[in-house]
Amino acid sequence: MNEATTQTIARNSLYESDFLLWTQDTIAKLKARDFDHLDLENLLEEIEALGNSYRDELESRLETLIEHCLKRLCVDMPQEFNGWERTIREQRRRLKRRLQKTPSLKTVWDESLLEAFEFALETVRDDYPKYQFPDTWQFGRDIDTLLNTNFWE
């Protein structure tokens, strides 16, 4: 076994056995510009996963937002309106915050919205089979409309 193979096994072992220690070791090596000893494979994987987690958060929050908008619009249960509206406000706040911190998410908004609508529609139809829900989103799909319009007023 050569030295490079031994170092790779050691890096992977640390990555798999103690992730926090691996991150601290990676940060120390980056700060020291010790690029030759970086666990580049796992570092790239983690950076990619971080980016994907922001997109996943966008889609999840959009799904929850749309689900509660659909319930508020189509389910005649006035005793639930306040709770649904609170959830709508919370998801909107969190979506605005995420978009401020990660503006490039706006480039995947349309695609994420379509996917979120499909999942939200499936959920509300399963949860409320006696009610009718539209097959397509009936309102504006742009960020401003979805994050600022009370569709039920």
Side-chain angles (χ1 to χ4, degrees):
M1 205 179 304
N2 66 26
E3 183 180 341
T5 303
T6 303
Q7 287 177 351
T8 300
I9 291 170
R11 283 192 299 260
N12 283 336
S13 179
L14 181 59
Y15 176 79
E16 293 167 3
S17 66
D18 190 336
F19 183 74
L20 179 59
L21 184 58
W22 175 85
T23 61
Q24 293 169 337
D25 180 64
T26 300
I27 291 167
K29 287 176 180 167
L30 285 168
K31 286 181 177 180
R33 300 190 179 288
D34 184 8
F35 303 126
D36 291 336
H37 297 103
L38 273 176
D39 178 4
L40 196 55
E41 183 178 323
N42 286 318
L43 179 58
L44 291 170
E45 186 177 306
E46 288 302 320
I47 292 171
E48 183 177 25
L50 180 61
N52 288 337
S53 73
Y54 287 164
R55 186 175 178 154
D56 291 345
E57 178 188 0
L58 174 71
E59 291 172 358
S60 176
R61 292 198 181 285
L62 277 171
E63 182 180 339
T64 300
L65 172 63
I66 293 168
E67 179 183 327
H68 284 77
C69 285
L70 287 169
K71 290 190 285 191
R72 179 59 181 86
L73 288 163
C74 302
V75 177
D76 186 24
M77 298 175 120
Q79 70 277 14
E80 302 296 334
F81 289 176
N82 188 41
W84 293 336
E85 290 174 17
R86 277 196 321 270
T87 300
I88 290 165
R89 286 190 302 272
E90 176 68 16
Q91 294 308 310
R92 285 176 168 171
R93 274 193 298 274
R94 291 181 181 262
L95 279 162
K96 287 175 185 176
R97 190 175 308 132
R98 174 50 58 209
L99 289 169
Q100 286 172 346
K101 290 181 178 181
T102 318
S104 63
L105 284 171
K106 293 173 185 176
T107 64
V108 296
W109 178 267
D110 292 338
E111 179 184 335
S112 297
L113 177 64
L114 289 174
E115 187 171 317
F117 179 79
E118 289 176 20
F119 285 118
L121 186 59
E122 182 180 326
T123 299
V124 295
R125 284 181 171 163
D126 286 347
D127 290 347
Y128 300 93
K130 294 179 183 178
Y131 292 92
Q132 295 295 312
F133 297 94
D135 292 329
T136 58
W137 182 247
Q138 305 294 308
F139 304 97
R141 296 177 182 198
D142 60 286
I143 294 170
D144 184 59
T145 298
L146 207 60
L147 297 185
N148 296 302
T149 303
N150 291 335
F151 307 108
W152 51 91
E153 291 181 351

